[in-house]
Each structure stands twice: as C-alpha cells, then as structure tokens.
C-alpha cells in the first residue's frame, strides 16, 4: 500500500491527512454514538430496561432536586430503577421523591446532606443507606459562582465550598461505593464535570479547574478498575438551561444548543454503558469537537472575552433591577 517511489513530502502529507481524519472521527464519534443511542429504543423495545438489567435496581443521584440531577433521576426511574435522592433541602427532596413515585412505579429514599461539608455528608449518606446497595452512582452535585468573577472577588469560603463540592464529593463518593460494586462485578459511576474542563477558563477559573480535576480523576479511576466490571463515565455537559446557567439570560431559552435539563438528561442517560467520556448531548458533542480542536491560547482568550461580556451584562441587569 505504501508506495516508496513517492516523494518524501507526499508521505508526510499522507500521514498528516490520516492524523486529521483520526482526530475528526474521534471527536465526532461522540455525536454519532449519541444519535445511535437515541435511535436504538425504536429498534429494541427492551432498551428501556437494559440499564436495570445491566447494573441493578438502585441508583443514587447527588444534587437531585433541581436541574440535571433531578432530570437524570427521572430518566433512571422511567427505566424502573429505584432512586436515592441526596441534596440539602428536605422539603425539596420530599417533593421530588413524591413526584418520581407518582410518575414511575419505583421506590425512592431521601438523604439530606450538604457536600460543602464533604466528609460529614459522605458519612451521612453511608449511615442512612445502611445495607442498601447502590448500583448506579451519579455524582452530579456541583457549584459555581453566580456570575463570572476574578479570583480575589470570590469570597474565600465560596472557593472552599466549590472545591469541596466539585472535587471532594466526587472523590469520596467514588471511594465509598466502588469497592462494593467491584465485589459484585457490576455497577456504574457517572461523574459530571463540564465542557469547561477542556481548557482553562478565566473568570470561571476555580470552577473550570475543579472540572478538569473530575475529568482527570475519572480517567485514572477507570484505569484502576478496568477489570472490575464497573462502568465509569465522565459526563461533561456544555450549557444546559438550569439555575446554574441563569446568569446568562440567553441560556434561559431552550434550544438545540442549550437544552433544558429534561432534554439533556434524556440523551445523557442513553449514553450510559455506551460511552465512557461524553458531553451527553448531540449538539454538545459538536461544541466539544470545536472547543477541543481550538489551540489552548485561543480558547483561553475566547472564553475570557465571552465571560467578560456575560459579567458586564449581568452587572448591568443587576443595576437596572436595583434602580
Ligand atoms: N447547567 C449547566 O449549564 C451546566 C454545564 C456544565 C456542567 N454542569 C454541571 O452539572 C451538574 C448539575 O448542575 P445543574 O445546572 O443541574 O445545577 P443546579 O440546577 O444548580 O442544581 C444543583 C442541585 O444540587 C443541589 N445542591 C447544591 N449545593 C449542594 C450541596 N452543597 N450539597 C448537596 N446538594 C447540593 C441542589 O439542591 P439544594 O439546593 O436543595 O441542595 C440542586 O438539587 C453540576 O455538577 C454542574 O457543574 C452544569
């Protein structure tokens, strides 16, 4: 196949072309698999119970009374999986549990825990679960600042909370449940990070750095447990219309670039067991491809400029509101 009579430069050009094709294919594969995942249930009527059969009957979702976590819990319940909901507010937990039980024929359990006190929260979760085995662990809880800020503008305690919640909770929750899954030879862990893990993101710097930790930690953990039978997924959404993205009014309108949590979770759950590293939503797969291809110095400038615009608009709208 390799023609040695061709000039040296042609060989180099061919190698370059193959590398480009590989990179494009690897990046677009995300979107392709998500689309295949979406179409699968139309051809396989048993698809809806496949997660239950593959992993088991109980899932635990952190940060499950709002946004992506709540929608993810509903999607799992739709597939016959019982749900343990973990958040800070007992009233919201009871209401969400009631909504899930009314809509789907599953059991729920609620646990009040605050992951800013991460060790205490994980101890509470373990204690309240007792002997109940968790088959699917969704480490979704996350925190960001209300709008883009420079480091010294962020209160110290908020920085500590963001680090504890975004990195500590994922790490200690995995540590608490993975050995048990390994013993059973099955189970799934979903660690939710963010598209901001791809490059440093000025003015959301602490948040993006914690999400880069989640990506790195998840990849390392997957290798450590590669022969255990446990599926370990890194789920990195781009913007989803939730409370967390409310600082940008444009992101409070659902569309194919910024889906609502329900639409996002519908796609994201379908990737579980199919993709180990994904944005979880078809158009986010394309966004991920573009951002990933960007040289870091361009991505940093672009991200900083975008955040400066979001920050200016947010501050102006607050001023108008206060007048
Ligand atoms: N929305 C986006 O555009 C976006 C993009 C990329 C990645 N993500 C990631 O996706 C995940 C979910 O985000 P979201 O937008 O769905 O968030 P959200 O709408 O703000 O919901 C956060 C959930 O976490 C709970 N929570 C907050 N602080 C907590 C704490 N200290 N301890 C326990 N529970 C706590 C909240 O309930 P209580 O307040 O009742 O505790 C709520 O149920 C996060 O990891 C986030 O970083 C989001």
């Amino acid at each position: 196949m390799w023609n040695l009579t061709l000039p040296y430069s042609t060989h180099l050009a061919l190698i370059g072309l193959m590398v480009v094709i590989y990179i494009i294919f690897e990046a677009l594969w995300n979107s392709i698999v998500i689309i295949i995942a979406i179409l699968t249930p139309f051809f396989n009527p048993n698809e809806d119970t496949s997660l239950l059969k593959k992993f088991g009957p109980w899932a635990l979702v952190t940060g499950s009374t709002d946004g992506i976590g709540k929608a993810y819990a509903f999607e799992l319940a739709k597939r016959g999986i019982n749900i343990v909901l973990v958040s800070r507010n007992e009233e919201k937990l009871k209401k969400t549990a009631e909504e899930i039980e009314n809509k789907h024929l599953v059991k729920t359990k609620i646990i009040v825990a605050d992951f800013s006190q991460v060790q205490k929260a994980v101890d509470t979760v373990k204690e309240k679960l007792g002997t109940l085995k968790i088959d699917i662990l969704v480490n979704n809880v996350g925190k960001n600042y209300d709008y883009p800020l420079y480091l010294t503008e962020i209160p110290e305690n908020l920085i500590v909370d963001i680090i504890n919640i975004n990195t500590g909770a994922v790490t200690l929750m995995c540590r608490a449940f993975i050995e048990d899954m390994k013993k059973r030879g099955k189970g799934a862990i979903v660690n939710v990070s963010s598209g901001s893990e791809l490059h440093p993101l000025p003015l959301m710097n602490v948040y993006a750095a914690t999400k880069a930790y989640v990506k790195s930690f998840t990849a390392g953990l997957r290798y450590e447990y590669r022969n255990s039978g446990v599926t370990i997924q890194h789920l990195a959404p781009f913007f989803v219309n939730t409370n967390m993205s409310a600082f940008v009014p444009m992101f409070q309108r659902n569309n194919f670039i910024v889906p609502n949590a329900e639409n996002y979770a519908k796609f994201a759950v379908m990737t579980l067991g199919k993709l180990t590293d994904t944005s979880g939503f078809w158009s986010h797969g394309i966004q991920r491809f573009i951002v990933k291809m960007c040289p870091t110095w361009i991505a940093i400038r672009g991200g900083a400029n975008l955040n400066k615009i979001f920050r200016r608009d947010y501050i102006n709208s607050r001023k108008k509101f206060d007048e």
Side-chain angles (χ1 to χ4, degrees):
M1 174 204 156
W2 210 251
N3 186 347
L4 293 174
T5 60
L6 286 174
Y8 188 56
S9 57
T10 311
H11 285 148
L12 282 181
L14 278 172
I15 291 169
L17 184 69
M18 274 154 49
V19 170
V20 170
I21 290 172
Y22 170 76
I23 291 171
I24 291 176
F25 183 76
E26 200 264 345
L28 288 180
W29 183 235
N30 245 281
S31 294
I32 295 166
V33 173
I34 294 169
I35 291 165
I36 293 170
I38 281 291
L39 294 176
T40 308
F42 294 109
F43 301 106
N44 176 9
N46 296 323
E47 172 69 13
D48 256 1
T49 53
S50 65
L51 291 183
L52 176 66
K53 282 186 199 138
K54 185 168 183 183
F55 299 123
W58 276 96
L60 184 151
V61 185
T62 65
S64 42
T65 47
D66 261 321
I68 296 171
K70 181 176 178 181
Y72 204 103
F74 268 84
E75 278 300 314
L76 291 176
K78 192 164 114 188
R79 290 159 170 78
I81 295 167
N82 304 313
I83 310 287
V84 181
L85 302 152
V86 189
S87 288
R88 290 170 300 184
N89 183 310
E90 189 167 7
E91 285 315 305
K92 272 163 73 181
L93 280 164
K94 280 183 184 161
K95 192 166 165 277
T96 309
E98 204 180 302
E99 284 173 33
I100 291 178
E101 287 192 9
N102 287 343
K103 195 159 179 194
H104 303 292
L105 280 176
V106 295
K107 293 181 206 147
T108 62
K109 185 174 170 65
I110 61 167
I111 299 176
V112 180
D114 180 348
F115 286 102
S116 62
Q117 307 288 316
V118 63
Q119 268 181 290
K120 195 171 159 217
V122 176
D123 284 346
T124 305
V125 169
K126 286 194 277 190
E127 186 203 319
K128 298 280 176 199
L129 284 177
T131 56
L132 185 67
K133 302 284 177 218
I134 295 303
D135 305 294
I136 302 174
L137 169 64
V138 185
N139 285 311
N140 162 77
V141 69
K143 194 167 178 67
N144 195 359
Y145 5 115
D146 290 342
Y147 67 102
L149 291 171
Y150 291 90
L151 182 64
T152 51
E153 294 174 330
I154 318 166
E156 252 177 25
N157 60 341
L158 180 57
I159 293 178
V160 174
D161 279 1
I162 291 173
I163 294 170
N164 276 341
I165 294 167
N166 294 4
T167 66
V170 170
T171 312
L172 293 192
M173 288 294 280
C174 286
R175 188 181 184 280
F177 292 98
I178 199 162
E179 275 301 321
D180 204 39
M181 290 181 182
K182 184 182 170 184
K183 271 187 209 141
R184 282 178 276 140
K186 65 174 187 173
I189 295 177
V190 180
N191 289 339
V192 181
S193 83
S194 150
S196 65
E197 56 83 5
L198 288 169
H199 302 283
L201 183 59
L203 281 85
M204 288 267 172
N205 194 21
V206 178
Y207 175 77
T210 61
K211 295 303 187 179
Y213 171 95
V214 174
K215 188 227 171 97
S216 169
F217 170 77
T218 308
L221 190 71
R222 191 181 308 119
Y223 188 84
E224 285 178 10
Y225 284 83
R226 65 193 179 284
N227 297 320
S228 66
V230 182
T231 295
I232 303 176
Q233 187 189 50
H234 170 236
L235 183 65
F238 277 69
F239 280 113
V240 178
N241 178 358
T242 68
N243 293 336
M244 194 179 275
S245 55
F247 64 93
V248 188
M250 197 168 66
F251 296 158
Q252 298 294 284
R253 279 176 243 129
N254 307 327
N255 54 51
F256 75 96
I257 296 171
V258 184
N260 63 16
E262 291 72 25
N263 203 12
Y264 175 79
K266 203 174 283 178
F267 281 80
V269 171
M270 284 195 209
T271 68
L272 185 54
K274 297 187 176 77
L275 286 169
T276 50
D277 194 334
T278 175
S279 63
F281 188 69
W282 68 273
S283 74
H284 289 190
I286 297 167
Q287 291 175 59
R288 184 181 162 96
F289 167 65
I290 295 165
V291 177
K292 205 171 167 182
M293 287 300 100
C294 239
T296 293
W297 68 272
I298 295 179
I300 290 183
R301 280 185 180 209
N305 287 335
L306 210 59
N307 272 339
K308 279 183 194 162
I309 295 169
F310 294 156
R311 172 189 165 92
R312 185 201 59 206
D313 291 352
Y314 181 87
I315 293 171
N316 286 343
S317 70
R318 284 290 299 271
K319 273 187 198 148
K320 271 190 203 149
F321 185 76
D322 291 342
E323 279 164 12

